[in-house]
Amino acid sequence: MLTYSFENTGKIPLYEHLYRCIRDDILAGRLTPGEKLPSKRTLARNLGISTITVENAYGQLTAEGYCRSAPKKGFFVTETLEKMPVQAKPAEVPELPQTEAKAWKIDFTANTMRAEDFPFAIWTRLLRQVVSEASDELLMRSPSGGVLALRQAIADHLRSFRGLVVSPEQIVIGAGTEYLYSLLVKFFGRDKIFCVENPGYDRIRKVYKSNGAVCAAADMDTQGVRLDEVERCGTDILHISPSHHFPTGIIMPVSRRYELLAWANRKPGRCIIEDDYDSEFRMTGRPIPTLMSIDAAGRVIYMNTFSKSLTPTIRISYMVLPANMVKPFFEKVGFYNCTVSNFEQYTLARFIGDGYFEKHINRMRNIYRRRREELLSLLRSSENAKRLSIIERGSGLHFLLRFNTRQSDAEIVERLENMGIHMRPLAAYYEGEHPDAEHIFVLNYSNLDVEKLEQGLFRGIAGGKD
Amino acid sequence: MLTYSFENTGKIPLYEHLYRCIRDDILAGRLTPGEKLPSKRTLARNLGISTITVENAYGQLTAEGYCRSAPKKGFFVTETLEKMPVQAKPAEVPELPQTEAKAWKIDFTANTMRAEDFPFAIWTRLLRQVVSEASDELLMRSPSGGVLALRQAIADHLRSFRGLVVSPEQIVIGAGTEYLYSLLVKFFGRDKIFCVENPGYDRIRKVYKSNGAVCAAADMDTQGVRLDEVERCGTDILHISPSHHFPTGIIMPVSRRYELLAWANRKPGRCIIEDDYDSEFRMTGRPIPTLMSIDAAGRVIYMNTFSKSLTPTIRISYMVLPANMVKPFFEKVGFYNCTVSNFEQYTLARFIGDGYFEKHINRMRNIYRRRREELLSLLRSSENAKRLSIIERGSGLHFLLRFNTRQSDAEIVERLENMGIHMRPLAAYYEGEHPDAEHIFVLNYSNLDVEKLEQGLFRGIAGGKD
C-alpha cells in the first residue's frame, strides 16, 4: 500500500501533493508499468484523507497519461511507460551579448524620439474615448488589411496631404514596414528578383533575403537609382525612396520617375515599391508628389510608416496597393491576421481623423527645422569648420557631412568616438566598394537636444590636421 | 512671357498655384525641353506677384526635376523630359468580395470575446500609469525579443502557473503566433521539413507554406500525433499542441511525450514547437505540465498567446526558446524589430505583474465553465438529444458534438444553417479524407451569451429523422 506523508505540504492542495508523490514513484520505477493502484476508497482510508482527494489525484494522473482507468477494475500504471528520466534541471542560458547602448555625448546614428515630443496626453485621451465608445469593435477581429476606420482615415490623409486618391480597400495596415516587406515577398513569390538602392538601409536587403527572396542592389547616380543598373539586376520588384532617399537625400526628378514607370510597364509582373518613409518632413516648399500619383498603369505600391512621424515604438505602417492588385493580394495572403492591435488602430484613426496628426506633423516639422538649423549653425561656427561641407537637400531627418581630410573613415570614427560623438559613415550603407562615399558621414538629429549641446563639443570635430 | 490668372485659386498658396500652372505647361509641351524660363524678377512684375512667390514656385519645380537652375543664367526646362502623360485619373478599385459575417442566431465557429468579459477599466488605467511613469521607456526602441519588463513578467508567470523555469532572455514577443511561426521559418531555414498535426488548424499549415517551407501533416491516434507518421514525413520541426489539441481535444499522455522527445534527440537539428494556445482554460484539475518542462536536451520551443486568454485583438504572443537556441536565434533574426507596440508591451507587463492577469484568467475560467455547462445542459435536454453524443475532455474553449445520424456533414450543415446555427464539421480540419471524422462537429462557445439562448433554438438540432 502506498504511504505518503501529508506534513509540510505548504500551500499545495492535498490532491496535488498526492498526485506528485504517485507520479514521482512511477517515474522512479517504484510503481511498475501495469501495476494496479489501490482503490480510491482504500487509499483514502489508509492515508486519512477524503475519497475526493484521491479521485482528483487519480484524475490528474490519468489526464496526463501516468495511469489509466479500467471500468469496474480500477486504476493501473500505464503499461507503455518506459523508464522515464526525472525532470532535468533547466539548462543554463548562455550570457547574451550585451547590446547596451554606449553613453554618447552626441549620437548621430539614433532616430528615436524625445519623450516631450510625443503627444502622450492626446493619445491616451483618445484611447480612453475609443475604449468607452467602441468596446465592441475593439474585440472584433480586424480584417486582414486593418480596421476600416483607420484605412479610411489614412485614405483621407493621403488625399489631403499627398494628393493621392485611393480607396480604403487598397490600404494594408501592418506592424512595421519590415512586416509589410515580408508580406510582399509572400505575395509576389520567392522566384522574383527584388532590387534595392545602393546605397540604402541594409536592413531592407536583409529582410528580403531573410524572407527567401533574391535581393540585388542597383547603383545610383545624382538622380536616384540608375535604369541600366535596374535592368542589369534582372529586377522584377524595385524598392526605392524617390521622395527622399536614405542616406543620400536625393529627390528623384520627374524625368527619372517616368523612366522607371516606363520600365515597370515594359514587362508584365514588374512592380515598384515606393518607400515614402519620411516625406512628412520636407522642410521647404510643398511635399514632393508621390510616384504612385503619376502611375496610370497600376505598377506602384506606396508604403509609409508612422515610425518617423509619430514614434517607432508604436508599430504601425501601411501600404497602398494599386487597385488592380487588391483582389489577388487578399486572395493570396489575406488569411493572415492583421498584426496591429485594434486598440492602437482605432486610436490612431481618431488621432488622424480629429486633425491631431496634421497638427503633430506641423509642430514636429518646426521643431526639427529649428533643431536642424541650430545644429548646422553649431557645425558651421565650430573650429576648423572650413574642413567640413554640409550636404543637405532641405528634406527629411538627416543630412550628410563631408570631412575635407586625408584621414580614413575608420580614423575619423575613432577620433570622434574618443570625443564621445557617434557617427556612421556613408560607406557603411553601400554594398561593395564605393570610394566616392569616403569622408562622408550621415547625421540623424531627430532626437538631439540641440539647445543643451555645448559649443565645446563641436570643437575639433573637423579635426586639426590631416 | 508666361501669363496665368491668379483668380479663384481658392485656398492654395500663390506659389503653389504658379508651380502647378508652369508644371502643367511643361507636361503639356507648351514649354519645351531646354527652354529658358523668364527671370524671377521679370515674371513677378509681369504677374503682379512678389519675387519670393516666383522663387518658391521655381524652387519646387527644380526640386521635382521639372526645371534646372544654371548659376547666373537662370532657370531652364529640363532637357531630358520626354513628353510626359498628364496625370491619369486613378484606376477604379474593383469591388472586393464582401466577407461580412452572416447574422447567425448561434455561431459556434467564432472564438472572439464578449466586450463585457474584457477588463477595459483596468487595462486603460494601467496604460495611463505606464504613460505617466515611463514615457521615456515608451519611446525607446524595444529589443528584438521584446521589452525586458514584459519578458520578465511572462517568465514569472510561467514559473508560477506552468512550472516552467526560464530566463527572460529566452522569451521572444511577437505580434501574433503567425508572426512567430514566420520568424521560426526564417531561423530554421526553408530547407527544413515542418510537420503539423492532422487534423489541425489549417491556418498553421498555410502560414508555414506561405513562408516558403515544406509543411507535412502527420496523422494522429487517440494519444496525439503518431511517431511513425512523424518519421514518414521526414520531419525536422514538429509543431504540436500536447496540452489540448485543436480540434480533437486530445491531451497527449506522458508516454507519447517522452517518445517524441526521444525522436527529437535522435538526430541533430530536430525540434518540437509546443503550441500551448489555450492551456489556461483547463476546467478541472491542475494544468497539464508543459512538454518543455520535461525536455532536458533543449529541443522544445514553447509558444503561447494572449489571444485566447486576453483578446485576439491585442496582438501579443510569445515563445520560449531553449537556452541553447537563444544565441543562434538572435544572431540570425535578431535584426528584426519587435512587432508589438511598446505601449501595449509595458501595459501587459503591469497587467501580469500586478496580478490582474491571474485574476482575469480565474474569472474567465469560471465564466467559461458556466457557459460550457449551461450549453451542455441545453444540448442534453434538447429534443432528440439521444441522437447527440458530446465528446469533451474538460479542457479548452471548445468541445465536439457527434450526430448519430446517417445524414452527411453537408446535409447537417445545411439543416443547421436553415435554423440560423453555424457549426464547422471536424472533417474540415483534416487534410485528405478521414471518414472517422464524419458526423462530428466543433463547438466554440467562448463568445456565446448562453443565458440569452432560448431552449427553442436547440429544438431539433439533433434532427428528427435520418
Side-chain angles (χ1 to χ4, degrees):
Chain A
M1 178 59 70
L2 310 175
T3 308
Y4 304 113
S5 159
F6 278 76
E7 281 165 29
N8 306 319
T9 58
K11 284 200 280 185
I12 298 174
L14 284 185
Y15 91 89
E16 188 170 339
H17 176 71
L18 180 59
Y19 147 83
R20 287 190 191 186
C21 293
I22 301 176
R23 183 195 64 185
D24 292 348
D25 275 357
I26 293 174
L27 288 171
R30 289 187 288 272
L31 286 165
T32 53
E35 188 171 342
K36 185 177 187 302
L37 294 177
S39 79
K40 288 181 272 186
R41 199 169 309 181
T42 317
L43 185 58
R45 202 168 44 219
N46 195 51
L47 296 174
I49 55 180
S50 79
T51 318
I52 298 285
T53 304
V54 179
E55 188 169 307
N56 286 338
Y58 280 14
Q60 187 71 30
L61 288 164
T62 309
E64 296 185 19
Y66 288 99
C67 63
R68 60 179 178 83
S69 75
K72 294 187 186 156
K73 289 189 180 159
F75 288 82
F76 297 84
V77 177
T78 308
E79 280 83 358
T80 53
L81 282 181
E82 319 267 316
K83 191 166 176 164
M84 287 178 298
V86 269
Q87 181 174 339
K89 66 172 187 183
E92 269 176 44
V93 186
E95 275 293 310
L96 283 186
Q98 287 301 314
T99 51
E100 211 177 316
K102 254 188 162 175
W104 302 106
K105 287 183 189 159
I106 318 180
D107 186 354
F108 287 112
T109 69
N111 59 358
T112 49
M113 273 191 99
R114 282 158 59 187
E116 65 265 36
D117 292 338
F118 185 85
F120 282 112
I122 295 168
W123 187 262
T124 46
R125 178 160 56 75
L126 293 177
L127 183 92
R128 275 209 310 278
Q129 276 179 24
V130 163
V131 163
S132 68
E133 292 164 27
S135 57
D136 278 327
E137 287 88 336
L138 282 179
L139 300 186
M140 273 167 51
R141 206 176 278 275
S142 158
S144 178
V147 303
L148 199 62
L150 178 57
R151 291 153 94 189
Q152 184 67 61
I154 290 174
D156 293 344
H157 171 78
L158 287 174
R159 183 175 324 226
S160 306
F161 297 93
R162 292 308 264 128
L164 205 52
V165 182
V166 300
S167 93
E169 284 80 11
Q170 292 173 258
I171 295 176
V172 180
I173 311 288
T177 46
E178 295 170 4
Y179 178 76
L180 295 175
Y181 305 157
S182 302
L183 214 48
L184 286 177
V185 173
K186 288 168 184 138
F187 171 59
F188 285 118
R190 287 174 193 82
D191 53 330
K192 297 289 187 301
I193 296 174
F194 288 71
C195 180
V196 298
E197 295 157 316
N198 188 27
Y201 270 122
D202 53 350
R203 181 183 291 276
I204 302 177
R205 251 170 298 185
K206 277 168 93 171
V207 171
Y208 283 127
K209 284 182 182 167
S210 139
N211 275 283
V214 175
C215 187
D219 282 349
M220 300 176 64
D221 59 22
T222 54
Q223 307 211 321
V225 71
R226 280 164 46 190
L227 197 60
D228 61 331
E229 280 283 294
V230 173
E231 299 273 14
R232 179 186 62 79
C233 295
T235 309
D236 295 300
I237 315 295
L238 177 63
H239 184 128
I240 53 175
S241 301
S243 290
H244 183 233
H245 175 259
F246 184 88
T248 65
I250 289 172
I251 297 166
M252 186 181 286
V254 66
S255 52
R256 179 66 52 88
R257 290 171 185 242
Y258 277 104
E259 279 169 24
L260 289 177
L261 289 176
W263 163 85
N265 252 318
R266 251 190 314 273
K267 226 167 127 179
R270 283 180 177 171
C271 181
I272 299 175
I273 299 169
E274 177 181 24
D275 200 336
D276 204 32
Y277 71 102
D278 74 348
S279 61
E280 291 84 2
F281 296 111
R282 186 161 152 72
M283 301 300 168
T284 53
R286 59 194 288 287
I288 305 295
T290 61
L291 187 61
M292 190 182 211
S293 65
I294 58 168
D295 165 37
R299 298 294 193 148
V300 176
I301 295 174
Y302 175 89
M303 196 178 281
N304 206 337
T305 174
F306 293 95
S307 289
K308 290 272 178 187
S309 50
L310 208 48
T311 156
T313 59
I314 290 182
R315 305 296 301 161
I316 311 186
S317 300
Y318 64 93
M319 57 184 171
V320 186
L321 304 171
N324 56 44
M325 216 179 270
V326 172
K327 198 157 171 276
F329 180 86
F330 285 110
E331 275 171 5
K332 189 151 180 194
V333 293
F335 69 91
Y336 278 99
N337 278 305
C338 182
T339 42
V340 181
S341 142
N342 277 9
F343 287 68
E344 299 201 331
Q345 289 196 66
Y346 280 106
T347 306
L348 180 56
R350 287 206 181 197
F351 191 78
I352 299 171
D354 292 358
Y356 294 112
F357 184 59
E358 190 193 343
K359 271 183 211 152
H360 176 67
I361 290 292
N362 290 336
R363 193 176 137 259
M364 290 313 296
R365 197 186 294 114
N366 288 330
I367 290 177
Y368 287 142
R369 188 185 289 130
R370 206 161 51 234
R371 246 171 235 174
R372 183 186 185 101
E373 280 163 9
E374 283 165 352
L375 178 61
L376 290 173
S377 121
L378 280 170
L379 283 170
R380 287 190 182 115
S381 63
S382 69
E383 204 180 61
N384 294 331
K386 63 179 189 302
R387 290 165 178 273
L388 301 174
S389 321
I390 289 155
I391 310 169
E392 59 136 1
R393 291 177 171 85
S395 186
L397 302 180
H398 74 277
F399 57 84
L400 302 179
L401 188 67
R402 182 197 298 275
F403 289 79
N404 305 318
T405 173
R406 268 176 288 180
Q407 283 190 322
S408 73
D409 282 3
E411 287 168 328
I412 298 174
V413 166
E414 201 195 327
R415 188 167 59 74
L416 293 174
E417 288 193 352
N418 289 335
M419 298 166 63
I421 296 174
H422 194 205
M423 250 185 229
R424 204 169 173 213
L426 180 60
Y429 295 93
Y430 277 93
E431 192 160 73
E433 299 279 309
H434 274 263
D436 292 354
E438 240 207 324
H439 309 312
I440 303 179
F441 283 73
V442 182
L443 276 69
N444 295 293
Y445 57 85
S446 61
N447 77 338
L448 287 191
D449 195 351
V450 184
E451 297 88 27
K452 286 203 189 130
L453 294 179
E454 298 160 49
Q455 170 65 54
L457 273 177
F458 289 85
R459 186 175 303 146
I461 199 171
K465 54 179 166 32
D466 289 343
Chain B
M1 176 62 68
L2 309 176
T3 307
Y4 304 114
S5 158
F6 278 76
E7 279 165 29
N8 306 321
T9 58
K11 284 201 280 187
I12 297 175
L14 284 186
Y15 90 90
E16 189 170 338
H17 176 70
L18 180 59
Y19 147 83
R20 287 189 191 187
C21 293
I22 301 176
R23 183 196 62 184
D24 291 348
D25 275 356
I26 293 173
L27 288 171
R30 289 187 289 272
L31 285 166
T32 52
E35 185 171 344
K36 187 177 185 303
L37 295 176
S39 80
K40 289 180 274 188
R41 199 171 308 181
T42 316
L43 185 59
R45 202 170 43 220
N46 195 51
L47 296 175
I49 55 180
S50 81
T51 319
I52 297 286
T53 303
V54 180
E55 188 169 308
N56 285 339
Y58 280 14
Q60 187 70 29
L61 288 164
T62 309
E64 296 183 20
Y66 288 98
C67 63
R68 60 178 178 85
S69 77
K72 294 187 187 156
K73 289 188 182 159
F75 288 81
F76 297 83
V77 177
T78 308
E79 279 83 358
T80 53
L81 283 181
E82 319 268 317
K83 191 166 176 164
M84 288 177 297
V86 268
Q87 181 173 337
K89 68 171 185 181
E92 268 175 45
V93 186
E95 276 292 310
L96 284 187
Q98 287 300 314
T99 52
E100 210 177 318
K102 254 188 163 174
W104 302 106
K105 286 182 190 158
I106 318 179
D107 186 356
F108 288 112
T109 70
N111 59 359
T112 49
M113 272 191 101
R114 282 161 56 188
E116 66 265 36
D117 291 339
F118 185 84
F120 282 112
I122 294 167
W123 187 263
T124 45
R125 177 159 57 76
L126 293 178
L127 183 91
R128 275 210 310 278
Q129 276 179 24
V130 162
V131 164
S132 68
E133 291 164 28
S135 58
D136 278 327
E137 285 88 336
L138 282 179
L139 300 186
M140 274 169 50
R141 206 176 276 277
S142 159
S144 177
V147 303
L148 200 61
L150 178 56
R151 293 153 94 189
Q152 183 68 60
I154 291 174
D156 293 344
H157 171 78
L158 287 174
R159 185 177 321 227
S160 306
F161 297 92
R162 290 307 266 128
L164 205 51
V165 183
V166 301
S167 92
E169 284 80 10
Q170 291 173 258
I171 295 175
V172 181
I173 311 290
T177 46
E178 294 170 4
Y179 177 75
L180 294 175
Y181 306 158
S182 302
L183 214 47
L184 286 177
V185 174
K186 288 168 185 139
F187 171 59
F188 285 119
R190 289 175 191 83
D191 53 331
K192 296 290 186 300
I193 296 174
F194 288 72
C195 180
V196 297
E197 295 157 314
N198 188 28
Y201 270 122
D202 53 349
R203 181 182 290 278
I204 301 177
R205 251 171 300 184
K206 276 168 94 172
V207 171
Y208 283 127
K209 284 183 182 165
S210 139
N211 275 281
V214 175
C215 187
D219 282 349
M220 300 176 65
D221 59 22
T222 55
Q223 307 211 321
V225 71
R226 279 164 47 191
L227 196 61
D228 61 332
E229 280 283 295
V230 172
E231 298 275 12
R232 177 186 64 78
C233 296
T235 310
D236 296 300
I237 315 295
L238 177 64
H239 184 129
I240 53 174
S241 302
S243 289
H244 182 234
H245 176 258
F246 185 88
T248 66
I250 289 172
I251 299 166
M252 186 181 285
V254 65
S255 51
R256 179 65 53 85
R257 290 170 186 241
Y258 277 104
E259 279 169 26
L260 289 177
L261 289 176
W263 164 85
N265 251 316
R266 253 192 311 275
K267 225 166 125 180
R270 284 180 176 170
C271 180
I272 299 175
I273 298 169
E274 177 182 22
D275 200 336
D276 205 32
Y277 69 101
D278 76 348
S279 61
E280 291 84 2
F281 296 110
R282 186 160 152 72
M283 300 300 169
T284 53
R286 58 193 289 285
I288 304 296
T290 61
L291 187 60
M292 190 181 210
S293 66
I294 58 167
D295 165 37
R299 298 293 193 149
V300 175
I301 296 174
Y302 175 89
M303 196 177 282
N304 206 336
T305 175
F306 294 96
S307 289
K308 289 272 180 188
S309 51
L310 209 46
T311 158
T313 59
I314 290 183
R315 304 297 302 161
I316 311 187
S317 300
Y318 64 93
M319 58 183 169
V320 186
L321 304 171
N324 57 43
M325 217 179 269
V326 173
K327 199 159 170 275
F329 180 87
F330 285 109
E331 276 172 4
K332 190 153 180 194
V333 293
F335 69 91
Y336 278 99
N337 279 306
C338 183
T339 41
V340 181
S341 142
N342 277 9
F343 286 68
E344 298 200 329
Q345 288 197 64
Y346 280 106
T347 305
L348 180 56
R350 287 207 182 198
F351 191 78
I352 299 171
D354 292 357
Y356 294 112
F357 184 60
E358 190 194 341
K359 272 182 212 152
H360 176 68
I361 290 291
N362 289 336
R363 195 177 134 259
M364 291 312 297
R365 197 186 294 114
N366 288 330
I367 290 177
Y368 288 142
R369 188 185 290 128
R370 207 161 50 233
R371 246 170 237 175
R372 183 187 187 100
E373 281 162 9
E374 284 165 351
L375 177 60
L376 290 173
S377 122
L378 281 170
L379 284 170
R380 287 190 182 115
S381 63
S382 69
E383 204 180 60
N384 293 331
K386 62 178 189 302
R387 292 165 176 272
L388 300 173
S389 321
I390 289 155
I391 310 170
E392 58 137 1
R393 292 177 171 84
S395 187
L397 302 180
H398 72 277
F399 56 84
L400 302 179
L401 188 67
R402 182 198 299 274
F403 288 78
N404 305 319
T405 173
R406 269 176 287 181
Q407 285 191 320
S408 72
D409 282 4
E411 286 168 329
I412 299 174
V413 165
E414 199 195 329
R415 188 168 57 73
L416 293 174
E417 288 192 353
N418 289 335
M419 299 166 63
I421 297 174
H422 194 205
M423 249 186 230
R424 203 168 175 213
L426 180 60
Y429 295 93
Y430 277 93
E431 191 161 75
E433 299 278 308
H434 274 262
D436 292 354
E438 239 207 326
H439 308 312
I440 303 179
F441 283 72
V442 181
L443 275 71
N444 296 296
Y445 57 84
S446 61
N447 76 338
L448 287 190
D449 195 353
V450 184
E451 297 88 30
K452 286 201 191 130
L453 295 180
E454 299 160 47
Q455 170 66 52
L457 274 176
F458 289 85
R459 185 175 305 146
I461 199 171
K465 52 179 165 37
D466 288 344

